[in-house]
Amino acid sequence: MAKVNIGLDAELVVEAMVLAGIGSPQDAVEAVVRDYIARGHRTETRTELKDRTLREADATPQEPQG
């Protein structure tokens, strides 16, 4: 796996370490990024199901009203 080196504000990293309960700066930041990505995938899944349901509802013929 490729590695990337970046500079981050130390206060951000310390806060991530405290919130995640992880003692290593690199592990804490990696955990935060992985959680962010997983949350994005969960959101995509929920919105995809909702969008599919709405599309199916729009595709069904409407009964005449009046």
Side-chain angles (χ1 to χ4, degrees):
M1 176 182 359
K3 299 283 182 175
V4 176
N5 292 319
I6 58 171
L8 294 173
D9 185 328
E11 290 180 23
L12 292 175
V13 175
V14 169
E15 190 164 349
M17 290 170 62
V18 170
L19 291 173
I22 298 173
S24 162
Q26 181 170 337
D27 291 345
V29 172
E30 185 174 325
V32 169
V33 172
R34 288 184 186 278
D35 180 64
Y36 181 81
I37 291 169
R39 184 175 300 161
H41 289 303
R42 290 190 303 268
T43 300
E44 287 174 358
T45 301
R46 281 195 310 251
T47 57
E48 180 182 331
L49 291 174
K50 183 178 179 182
D51 288 347
R52 186 179 317 137
T53 303
L54 291 173
R55 279 194 304 272
E56 290 170 357
D58 288 342
T60 58
Q62 300 267 336
E63 292 187 24
Q65 297 178 0

